[in-house]
Amino acid sequence: MQIFTTVKTLKLALKNVLPNQTVGFVPTMGALHKGHLSLVKNAKKTADRVVVSIFVNPTQFDRKEDLINYPSTFQTDIKHLQEVSCDFLFVPTIKEMYPNHTESQVFDFDGLDQVMEGAHRKGHFNGVGTIVKRLFEIVQPNFAFFGEKDFQQLQIIKKMVEKESLQVKIIAVPIFREPDGLAMSSRNSRLTDLYREEAPFIFQTLLKAKAMFDGKNAIKTTKWVEEAFKNHPLLVLEYFTIADESNLLPFRKNDKKEFEKGNKNQKYRAFIAVFAGDIRLIDTIALY
Ligand code: PAF
């Protein structure tokens, strides 16, 4: 695996990829876990050469403490990436990625950023869009891989690619879970033992919510989830939303009527954000 820290040297190396070969790209912020490695494995199966980037992007953090405390395990990350035969690793500095100002571009994501993560983390998706677009311009991948845990991010990246006519195919990779159901996340490593023990409650609740929803019972299910977290001694619910997975619009009363008439075309998904102490965890489940 070759490692690059500047845009210039990475671009030079990518010039040597043969014209008939494809490039797969996995952008990350490091502190790699099995979920990230599954993205790289998918990329290896799909493309001839694979680029991974590690860059903790300051403009997508709405809370300073979250940025400062973001875990970093660089030496282990390199070992893991070698094990899955990553070809190129790109680890740029802030100056490389933001040569002028460390500021986000403002995007129009057709409202996809106005709900859930976007509503609770001001400026987050403009930061994500800015850095992913810059990385795409540098790497020029044929395929880019994103985990479904950040489902809203995935839809927003697809929207950006469509609106900016970028020549890259976005590939979604299913959530990787711990044996007890907790969705893998770099932030899990910061959970205390007590919070780590309680955190699987999030996915257990999503599974019960899925059974209760049954294609139509959004209000009942939402109330039940909110109550379940009120009764939890440690975990604090930030939001639980049932939304159409294509446009992320919350389930409306009319949708229930449509469902009862037999129109079951819409695909719903539950989205959740929970505080485990200072650590904010998100998860999602398809409800179909
Ligand atoms: O999902 C992430 O890790 C980040 O949001 C990403 C896509 C690497 C952009 O910084």
Side-chain angles (χ1 to χ4, degrees), residues 150-214:
D150 297 294
F151 196 88
Q152 189 174 6
Q153 166 172 283
L154 174 69
Q155 298 298 61
I156 279 175
I157 302 286
K158 283 186 185 166
K159 177 65 71 181
M160 180 183 79
V161 165
E162 178 198 314
K163 285 202 148 189
E164 308 258 334
S165 308
L166 306 177
Q167 297 306 304
V168 51
K169 186 172 181 347
I170 302 301
I171 298 184
V173 179
I175 299 179
F176 221 81
R177 297 187 180 277
E178 299 286 355
D180 61 14
L182 177 64
M184 291 209 183
S185 160
S186 302
R187 291 183 175 85
N188 292 353
S189 65
R190 295 191 49 230
L191 293 170
T192 61
D193 288 350
L194 188 59
Y195 280 114
R196 176 62 191 84
E197 247 172 59
E198 294 299 329
F201 182 78
I202 300 169
F203 184 53
Q204 287 158 14
T205 308
L206 286 183
L207 287 173
K208 287 185 193 157
K210 179 173 177 150
M212 187 177 288
F213 175 62
D214 191 26

Side-chain angles (χ1 to χ4, degrees), residues 11 16 40 43 61 74 80 88 138 144 162-163 168-169 197 213 267:
K11 276 189 169 173
N16 291 328
V40 181
F61 285 81
F74 188 54
H80 287 324
F88 306 106
I138 297 165
E162 178 198 314
K163 285 202 148 189
V168 51
K169 186 172 181 347
E197 247 172 59
F213 175 62
K267 287 184 166 173

Side-chain angles (χ1 to χ4, degrees), residues 27-29 36 55 57 60 128 131-132 146 150 153:
T28 81
M29 299 205 295
H36 292 116
F55 179 67
N57 174 34
Q60 71 185 74
V128 171
I131 201 64
V132 172
F146 291 84
D150 297 294
Q153 166 172 283

Side-chain angles (χ1 to χ4, degrees), residues 137-149:
E137 279 162 3
I138 297 165
V139 178
Q140 308 222 337
N142 303 88
F143 310 98
F145 298 78
F146 291 84
E148 284 190 339
K149 182 170 84 69

Side-chain angles (χ1 to χ4, degrees), residues 21-125:
Q21 289 190 318
T22 54
V23 172
F25 177 45
V26 181
T28 81
M29 299 205 295
L32 304 182
H33 50 69
K34 286 185 186 147
H36 292 116
L37 300 180
S38 122
L39 297 179
V40 181
K41 285 179 194 163
N42 270 279
K44 286 295 292 185
K45 273 192 224 147
T46 313
D48 298 303
R49 311 289 273 158
V50 170
V51 182
V52 172
S53 65
I54 295 183
F55 179 67
V56 181
N57 174 34
T59 62
Q60 71 185 74
F61 285 81
D62 59 320
R63 293 188 303 140
K64 219 176 169 184
E65 325 81 75
D66 194 24
L67 172 61
I68 294 166
N69 295 320
Y70 200 81
S72 166
T73 54
F74 188 54
Q75 292 310 324
T76 340
D77 290 353
I78 291 181
K79 259 206 301 195
H80 287 324
L81 290 173
Q82 280 165 338
E83 280 159 15
V84 291
S85 308
C86 168
D87 300 291
F88 306 106
L89 171 60
F90 182 44
V91 197
T93 57
I94 294 185
K95 201 85 202 128
E96 280 293 312
M97 298 312 285
Y98 293 95
N100 301 318
H101 306 285
T102 315
E103 267 173 20
S104 300
Q105 180 185 334
V106 177
F107 291 89
D108 176 4
F109 295 119
D110 288 348
L112 288 176
D113 57 330
Q114 300 301 309
V115 291
M116 301 183 290
E117 289 305 281
H120 288 88
R121 302 181 66 187
K122 209 173 166 299
H124 171 65
F125 286 121

Side-chain angles (χ1 to χ4, degrees), residues 217-256:
N217 300 317
I219 295 172
K220 181 179 156 196
T221 307
T222 306
K223 278 191 183 147
W224 177 81
V225 171
E226 287 170 356
E227 206 51 39
F229 277 92
K230 266 187 207 145
N231 292 328
H232 195 283
L234 286 174
L235 302 175
V236 178
L237 180 67
E238 186 170 46
Y239 66 78
F240 172 83
T241 306
I242 293 178
D244 180 324
E245 71 170 28
S246 63
N247 54 23
L248 305 182
L249 290 176
F251 189 98
R252 286 152 309 181
K253 274 193 191 140
N254 240 11
D255 298 340
K256 183 169 175 169

